[in-house]
Amino acid sequence: MGSVDIAKLDFFSSRLDAAIGWARKFSIFQYPFVTACCGMEYMATACSHYDVDRFGAGLPRFSPRQSDVLFVVGTISHKLAPVLKKVYDQMTEPKWVVAFGVCTCTGGFYDNYATVMGIDTIIPVDVYIPGCPPRPENVLDGLMKLQAKIEKGEKQTKLYDHATKRLV
Amino acid sequence: MNLSELLKQKFPQYVLATHRYRGDDMILLKKEGLLEVARFLKEDPTCAFNFLMDLTCVDYLAFEKSPSSAPTTVTPSPLPFYMKPKKDPKGEKWERPAETQTRFEVVFHFYSLSKNHRLRLKVPVDEKHPEVDSLTPLWASADWFEREVWDMFGVVFKGHPNLKRILMYKEFVGHPLRKDYPVNKRQPLIGPVN
């Protein structure tokens, strides 16, 4: 039996979770939670020059109930922290969180009474994109890392525990 | 007659000191006379200050006591090319009068759109009774400024219609821009104290 031209086949076999993972990674409906200057870089990434639509993430939903990925873009203050938590809780499973910019990763250069020192103290985070602000290439790199994670069906969202100083 | 001379003449019982620096007037005022002087500034046709541009506060707790707050330059910066040098450079230096060295100073910046002139008003406020009259009856813009000063410094504005926190949440204890607020103190609403 010779080689089979798969283009002529009218069926395709795969594992179900692999197929779902492949489909999910190209239909990222994101919720941009934009609070600060990183938002400009987020817009640059989303616009046609860098074109986040190539990765299937071109349609931001402005309701957390319709979205899969929470993009936290910009500094989060303690006053805003309960709001962010509520937005995260409103999202349906499966859901992922991207910390966009160094303020959301660690608090950045803010160390004061007002700022949350990294959103992973409040909600679990899947991908960290550091930078102040991160370049669009950096963002796309983070997005591809997220896609790899979604494709594998990994759910390694972790919270930072300040008592033990590790991810739990 | 410039503004500081006018006010000194008009309110000798309230004006503690005046200063002119490169054409900008500054008045140091007793807090008892704040409302009266402010009303004069707004309503008098030669002053006509119809715009309260800024209202803020200074905490002098560590002023000139800690190395970081000590003044670094003694001589004023060089004049821009379009200004003439003053005959008496000593007159440019301003020091707080010893008798008015209270912990707080509430600072008002006025601007007159019709006259195109400005005035800075400073009111020394005692640490034990941090309380001044509210300027909300005269300028509506004082509302949020005064709430911010209350939030950050804990200075009470008598007669303010809605004196509550504007930047911090209502569970927040203390006033974070006071110099004795611990720089490492954290009061998160949710999540760990980091």
Side-chain angles (χ1 to χ4, degrees):
Chain A
M1 196 173 158
S3 62
V4 181
D5 187 358
I6 55 167
K8 287 181 181 162
L9 290 176
D10 56 357
F11 67 93
F12 171 78
S13 78
S14 169
R15 287 185 296 118
L16 181 64
D17 52 349
I20 289 175
W22 177 84
R24 270 181 185 158
K25 80 168 187 175
F26 289 117
S27 73
I28 296 173
F29 286 81
Q30 20 149 350
Y31 178 80
F33 193 90
V34 180
T35 57
C37 36
C38 271
M40 303 309 292
E41 216 65 18
Y42 171 81
M43 290 170 213
T45 315
C47 286
S48 52
H49 192 90
Y50 291 95
D51 196 10
V52 87
D53 209 5
R54 291 179 293 157
F55 304 92
L59 288 174
R61 314 301 299 172
F62 295 102
S63 160
R65 291 166 198 270
Q66 299 174 346
S67 47
D68 314 307
V69 177
L70 177 63
F71 265 75
V72 186
V73 184
T75 323
I76 302 296
S77 65
H78 284 306
K79 196 177 182 179
L80 194 64
V83 179
L84 178 64
K85 174 86 173 130
K86 194 167 188 176
V87 166
Y88 176 76
D89 289 341
Q90 282 179 346
M91 290 169 67
T92 49
E93 290 285 349
K95 56 186 172 184
W96 295 270
V97 178
V98 175
F100 187 118
V102 76
C103 289
T104 53
C105 295
T106 63
F109 53 76
Y110 296 106
D111 184 7
N112 57 26
Y113 59 91
T115 310
V116 174
M117 307 303 281
I119 57 162
D120 51 5
T121 58
I122 308 163
I123 55 174
V125 174
D126 291 273
V127 175
Y128 297 85
I129 306 173
C132 185
R135 295 247 345 136
E137 295 91 333
N138 206 352
V139 180
L140 294 180
D141 184 49
L143 190 65
M144 287 193 285
K145 283 193 166 64
L146 179 72
Q147 281 185 322
K149 211 169 175 178
I150 293 173
E151 190 178 22
K152 284 182 202 154
E154 281 178 17
K155 197 78 179 82
Q156 293 177 324
T157 49
K158 285 177 178 177
L159 263 174
Y160 184 76
D161 183 27
H162 275 265
T164 58
K165 296 202 188 296
R166 16 184 352 182
L167 294 166
V168 289
Chain B
M1 186 165 24
N2 59 46
L3 281 165
S4 43
E5 283 168 7
L6 175 74
L7 283 168
K8 222 190 243 174
Q9 201 181 61
K10 193 89 185 167
F11 300 101
Q13 73 275 35
Y14 296 138
V15 175
L16 293 161
T18 63
H19 181 65
R20 257 174 91 77
Y21 180 67
R22 295 180 183 176
D24 286 337
D25 289 282
M26 194 280 282
I27 315 281
L28 198 67
L29 201 71
K30 277 187 190 166
K31 70 175 179 185
E32 290 79 19
L34 173 64
L35 211 54
E36 199 180 321
V37 174
R39 193 178 297 279
F40 172 80
L41 289 173
K42 191 187 180 191
E43 288 167 4
D44 185 73
T46 55
C47 299
F49 286 107
N50 52 356
F51 187 11
L52 173 65
M53 299 195 75
D54 193 18
L55 193 167
T56 185
C57 184
V58 184
D59 185 352
Y60 282 101
L61 184 69
F63 186 68
E64 292 183 334
K65 285 171 198 156
S66 68
S68 61
S69 68
T72 49
T73 51
V74 180
T75 49
S77 56
L79 284 169
F81 68 92
Y82 49 83
M83 290 180 92
K84 284 180 194 155
K86 280 188 81 166
K87 280 171 193 159
D88 178 22
K90 280 181 196 163
E92 296 198 335
K93 201 167 177 232
W94 161 253
E95 275 169 14
R96 303 173 77 205
E99 69 277 11
T100 64
Q101 286 192 1
T102 54
R103 176 165 170 194
F104 298 106
E105 242 173 35
V106 180
V107 186
F108 305 84
H109 289 124
F110 298 106
Y111 178 59
S112 167
L113 287 160
S114 55
K115 300 275 174 185
N116 190 23
H117 59 189
R118 294 164 198 275
L119 180 71
R120 178 181 302 134
L121 203 69
K122 288 187 179 182
V123 179
V125 177
D126 196 7
E127 187 180 354
K128 284 182 187 134
H129 309 285
E131 208 177 56
V132 288
D133 287 316
S134 170
L135 292 190
T136 43
L138 295 167
W139 291 276
S141 65
D143 189 330
W144 284 14
F145 286 139
E146 288 175 356
R147 280 176 64 188
E148 188 188 351
V149 170
W150 151 247
D151 193 356
M152 293 289 132
F153 293 94
V155 175
V156 178
F157 289 87
K158 273 184 290 179
H160 191 287
N162 183 28
L163 195 65
K164 60 178 188 186
R165 290 190 185 278
I166 187 169
L167 295 173
M168 303 311 291
Y169 31 94
K170 71 173 189 292
E171 293 86 354
F172 195 87
V173 180
H175 304 282
L177 288 194
R178 283 192 172 193
K179 293 294 176 194
D180 54 0
Y181 184 88
V183 75
N184 294 320
K185 195 175 171 189
R186 301 289 180 266
Q187 303 180 38
L189 284 173
I190 58 166
V193 178
N194 48 41

